[in-house]
Amino acid sequence: MTETLVLDDPAEECAKRLVAAVEAGGHIALTGGGTPKACYQRAAEMGADWSGATLWFGDDRCVPPDDERSNYRMAKEALFDRLPAPDGGGPVVKRILAERGPHAGAEDYERELRETLGEELPRLDMVMLGLGPDAHVASLFPGQSTLEVRDRLAVGVEEAGFEPYVPRVSVTLPVINSARQVIFLVAGEEKSDAVVRAFGGEPTPDAPGSLVRPTDGELILLLDQPAASRLSGLPE
Ligand code: 6PG
């Protein structure tokens, strides 16, 4: 099932849905990139109880966690550091140890996912995603062999297909597609082609976003008008 909303302020809607998943005590994978920052900042101000939630990451860059390119650092500054001092504890944060390098970092994260959620394919409650102008998602880039990986939960990406050009660690498509809810937050005219390629056509490895189709979960697209401007007809 796909729900598509074209909104003046998709970050606000995304923050509300993130907070709902948090209050339900969910396992949630956060996304990196610039777009979700406003969503995280607003979610932090919504007065929710974060203590039951476990926050994962869909990907990170292989840099130290205090590097300005780190997705963890962005989420920490926009979200974790803004949560009111918790009485009963804040959320559990499962950071990707990407500074260990793409392959060791991926092995670590896969182990962490299995230890926490069981040996089988984990079912995250919510996976948040952005969409690159080249239609990449997490750190799964167009045409890369990582898109074909079915037997791993996380992969090392030696060459990023988009800036910043540092190696990455990314969860795989099976992890994304087994989630109960996958929620895309996409804003800006520069994403409008990618939106059409990801959501308005046939699945293709040239547009990794088009391969995100939850097998037994919901796909939610939160778009602003410029990002949705070239989409003719909303996906079903
Ligand atoms: C990353 C992200 C990536 C991001 C898109 C969109 O680590 O780069 O997880 O998949 O979501 O590149 O990023 P922007 O919101 O910055 O355009």
Side-chain angles (χ1 to χ4, degrees):
M1 194 185 89
T2 306
E3 181 184 8
T4 307
L5 297 176
V6 180
L7 302 163
D8 290 340
D9 190 0
E12 176 75 12
E13 180 63 26
C14 196
K16 286 185 191 157
R17 291 178 185 237
L18 170 59
V19 159
V22 161
E23 296 218 295
H27 285 263
I28 300 158
L30 302 178
T31 180
T35 318
K37 213 179 284 180
C39 163
Y40 297 156
Q41 289 170 348
R42 299 214 210 150
E45 287 159 9
M46 287 180 175
D49 175 3
W50 291 71
S51 62
T54 306
L55 303 179
W56 300 84
F57 283 81
D59 71 322
D60 213 334
R61 292 94 182 254
C62 294
V63 295
D66 58 355
D67 187 287
E68 60 181 21
R69 294 164 295 183
S70 160
N71 285 340
Y72 170 77
R73 174 175 163 171
M74 187 277 284
K76 181 174 182 298
E77 290 179 354
L79 177 59
F80 312 146
D81 288 351
R82 292 170 189 248
L83 296 177
D87 290 336
V92 175
V93 176
K94 301 281 193 182
R95 177 171 89 73
I96 298 176
L97 304 178
E99 68 275 22
R100 294 190 178 170
H103 299 296
E107 276 163 33
D108 254 14
Y109 213 52
E110 174 154 333
R111 195 176 317 115
E112 192 63 36
L113 279 161
R114 289 196 197 280
E115 279 176 12
T116 310
L117 294 167
E119 283 300 305
E120 300 302 316
L121 188 56
R123 267 208 103 182
L124 294 164
D125 296 292
M126 174 185 273
V127 172
M128 289 181 64
L129 290 174
L131 187 69
D134 59 349
H136 79 263
V137 292
S139 283
L140 303 173
F141 296 100
Q144 291 197 353
S145 57
T146 49
L147 293 168
E148 287 147 34
V149 174
R150 296 287 175 269
D151 58 348
R152 296 287 314 272
L153 305 183
V155 279
V157 178
E158 284 171 12
E159 282 192 36
F162 202 79
E163 60 189 14
Y165 292 103
V166 288
R168 317 284 187 97
V169 174
S170 181
V171 299
T172 56
L173 281 171
V175 171
I176 295 173
N177 282 331
S178 66
R180 293 194 169 81
Q181 201 176 75
V182 176
I183 184 161
F184 274 91
L185 174 62
V186 190
E189 209 277 325
E190 68 281 10
K191 303 287 176 70
S192 59
D193 274 336
V195 165
V196 173
R197 294 172 61 224
F199 308 119
E202 294 301 310
T204 164
D206 294 337
S210 71
L211 304 176
V212 175
R213 296 294 182 266
T215 41
D216 185 22
E218 277 179 289
L219 178 63
I220 298 165
L221 312 180
L222 303 180
L223 312 173
D224 70 357
Q225 185 54 48
S229 57
R230 295 187 197 186
L231 202 56
S232 56
L234 299 177
E236 309 246 313

